[in-house]
Amino acid sequence: MNQYDLNLILNPNLSAEQLQTEREYIENAVRNAGAEITNLDDVGNRRLAYAVGKDREGYYLMYTIRAGGNPERDIATSLRLRDNVRRILVVRDRPEQRTKKA
């Protein structure tokens, strides 16, 4: 199984209930793609480098997932249908690409 980073930017104006609903949908989408969530980093609202849909901020969620095969397409296509999801990035974690300190 390979490790992936799933980074999402959500609408910054979500209430606590809406945010919980989005998290549950994301977790279900990951499970339906045959992956498991190993870590969640809830960063919160951050300023964006450029406006996305007239919003200068976004709510960041960064997941670490483990999956076999190629889950990028399955996860991204199901999450792009959500109105509150602004951006999605699924990247395979490659330890050999990390820089080593001397």
Side-chain angles (χ1 to χ4, degrees):
M1 292 183 74
N2 297 321
Q3 185 167 321
Y4 293 87
D5 290 330
L6 171 63
N7 301 322
L8 293 124
I9 301 176
L10 303 177
N11 183 349
N13 303 319
L14 295 177
S15 67
E17 295 83 22
Q18 291 172 324
L19 184 59
Q20 185 61 31
T21 303
E22 292 299 324
R23 280 188 191 159
E24 290 172 2
Y25 186 86
I26 293 165
E27 291 171 6
N28 288 334
V30 169
R31 282 190 207 104
N32 290 340
E36 64 177 287
I37 297 172
T38 58
N39 188 24
L40 167 61
D41 188 15
D42 188 349
V43 178
N45 281 338
R46 297 284 185 209
R47 185 162 174 78
L48 299 172
Y50 56 90
V52 177
K54 296 186 181 180
D55 288 328
R56 294 295 296 171
E57 290 185 344
Y59 193 91
Y60 282 76
L61 292 173
M62 298 179 192
Y63 290 89
T64 303
I65 60 174
R66 294 186 54 80
N70 189 5
E72 296 103 333
R73 183 186 51 202
D74 298 333
I75 294 171
T77 53
S78 65
L79 293 178
R80 287 191 206 288
L81 300 175
R82 302 294 289 181
D83 290 335
N84 291 322
V85 175
R86 299 289 190 237
R87 292 287 186 263
I88 302 167
L89 178 65
V90 182
V91 180
R92 182 173 174 203
D93 186 29
R94 298 181 60 189
E96 66 272 8
Q97 296 292 352
R98 293 186 187 146
T99 58
K100 295 181 181 179
K101 294 183 180 180

